[in-house]
Every structure is written in C-alpha cells, then in structure tokens.
Amino acid sequence: MPETPDPQLSADFSTDLDRAASLIAELPDYPAPGIVFRDITPLLADGPALRATVDALIAPFLGSFDVVAGLEARGFLLASAAAYSTGAGLMPIRKAGKLPRPAVSVEYDLEYGSATVEAHDDLPKGSRVLLLDDVLATGGTLVAGRDLLRQLGYAVAGVAVLFEIEGLGGREFVNDPGLHTVFHS
Ligand SMILES: O=P(O)(O)OC[C@H]1O[C@H](OP(=O)(O)OP(=O)(O)O)[C@H](O)[C@@H]1O
Ligand SMILES: Nc1ncnc2[nH]cnc12
C-alpha cells in the first residue's frame, strides 16, 4: 500500500475525506441475515484518508477535552489516533471480563446482540472525556459508554462517530444535539 494515494484514484475524489467515504465497505447479511455491516478496515488502510477522517471526527471538540475514550474494539483505533494527534489521554472502554481491576459496568443492547462495557476509575473526577466509536446503529453501545463515563464522575465533552447508519433510531436514542458523525448512510 503506497503512503500517498494513487494519482489515478485521487483524481476521482476532490479530498481525502471524499475518498474515505468510498472506503467504507458494505457487507450484506453479516453477521446475521438482514444486517448490512459497515466495515471501516479499507479506510484504515489508507493513510491520508484515515488522517482526514480522524481530523474530521474530532474537529468540533478541539480544546474541549482532556481524554479520548474509545469503545472496544473498533473505537479503540480511532480514539488512539485522536489522543495521539491532540496530546490527550486515552481511555479504553472494554467489553466485559477483560479488565484486571474492579471496574464499573453497564449492560446494553446493540443492532445484533447484547453486551456489557466496563472501565476502571483511573481519571480525576470531572475529567473532560470525548467519546468515540466507528459506527452508530441503534445507539445502544454509545449510550452505554456515555452512562459509564457519567457513573465514573467524568464530564462528557462530546460524542462522535465515524459512520451513522440512518433509520435505526440511533441518533434519537443518543438524544444529544451535539452528536457528531462524519459519514452517514
Ligand atoms: O449502535 P449499536 O447498535 O450499539 O452498534 C454500534 C456498535 O456495534 C459495533 O461494535 P461491536 O459490538 O460489534 O464490537 P467490535 O467493535 O468489537 O466489532 C460498532 O463498532 C459499535 O460499537
Ligand atoms: N451494521 C453495522 N455495521 C457495523 N457495525 C455495526 N454495529 C452495529 N451494527 C453495525
């Protein structure tokens, strides 16, 4: 994979962000019949597209957060990049049973199942935390992550998602006028 986009390919897109949108793959009937899975791994593989996407994801919140939280597993990838690029700290929000010390837990439902998220109480109370994930579908995961941050006594500086699937009620469920999404269906 070259570090810069192929000139032939980039000629078809006015910006790296336009190309990033085209690099989100759609997989029908995965992981269950009727689900159209949005796969961001082709976007992650394109350096300029990844950088433009992470920049766009955090742009509305610059200067308003101390720590970036990412939801396991794909949210980790975006949160790490955002934390590194801004000098913020990183808070991984994990799926159940993986943390070595006592943790706060929140159970939730998502588009294709149910799960539990957990995190340690490692940040000072009142820390300003930006919550990131890759996909917003029903919103269950994002709301659980936000509840977890609040239970831990942190201030939610914002909520941002790379790709919003419309029509599944996620935006309504999250119910945050500041919810920021970069791409949508
Ligand atoms: O809006 P929702 O209906 O809650 O769905 C969105 C969540 O589903 C996916 O995570 P998944 O639990 O599949 O985990 P993964 O990142 O480990 O694949 C995705 O990465 C979001 O976190
Ligand atoms: N359709 C979908 N594609 C990718 N991740 C998801 N998480 C929940 N629904 C999803």
Side-chain angles (χ1 to χ4, degrees), residues 50-63:
L50 174 61
R51 175 172 283 174
T53 301
V54 172
D55 288 348
L57 189 64
I58 63 176
F61 308 102
L62 289 176

Side-chain angles (χ1 to χ4, degrees), residues 9-164:
L9 179 65
S10 59
D12 297 329
F13 299 99
S14 56
T15 66
D16 291 328
L17 206 54
D18 288 337
R19 196 175 62 266
S22 77
L23 292 171
I24 300 168
E26 284 185 20
L27 295 124
D29 298 322
Y30 180 89
I35 305 285
V36 181
F37 190 83
R38 265 49 182 219
D39 176 20
I40 65 162
T41 50
L43 188 167
L44 297 174
D46 182 316
L50 174 61
R51 175 172 283 174
T53 301
V54 172
D55 288 348
L57 189 64
I58 63 176
F61 308 102
L62 289 176
S64 69
F65 58 89
D66 312 304
V67 173
V68 184
L71 287 149
E72 186 171 356
R74 289 171 268 154
F76 288 177
L77 307 169
L78 303 170
S80 310
Y84 183 79
S85 83
T86 59
L90 177 63
M91 174 182 173
I93 299 182
R94 302 225 55 181
K95 297 282 171 57
K98 297 186 176 179
L99 289 172
R101 289 180 278 120
V104 174
S105 297
V106 176
E107 291 176 30
Y108 65 98
D109 293 322
L110 71 160
E111 192 185 11
Y112 39 68
S114 59
T116 301
V117 283
E118 296 185 341
H120 288 145
D121 184 7
D122 289 330
L123 307 178
K125 298 290 177 215
S127 292
R128 302 174 304 162
V129 182
L130 174 65
L131 179 61
L132 300 186
D133 205 358
D134 67 328
V135 171
L136 171 65
T138 64
T141 307
L142 217 51
V143 167
R146 187 177 60 188
D147 287 350
L148 189 64
L149 296 177
R150 288 178 176 159
Q151 283 187 36
L152 286 162
Y154 308 151
V156 180
V159 179
V161 176
L162 192 162
F163 190 90
E164 176 178 357

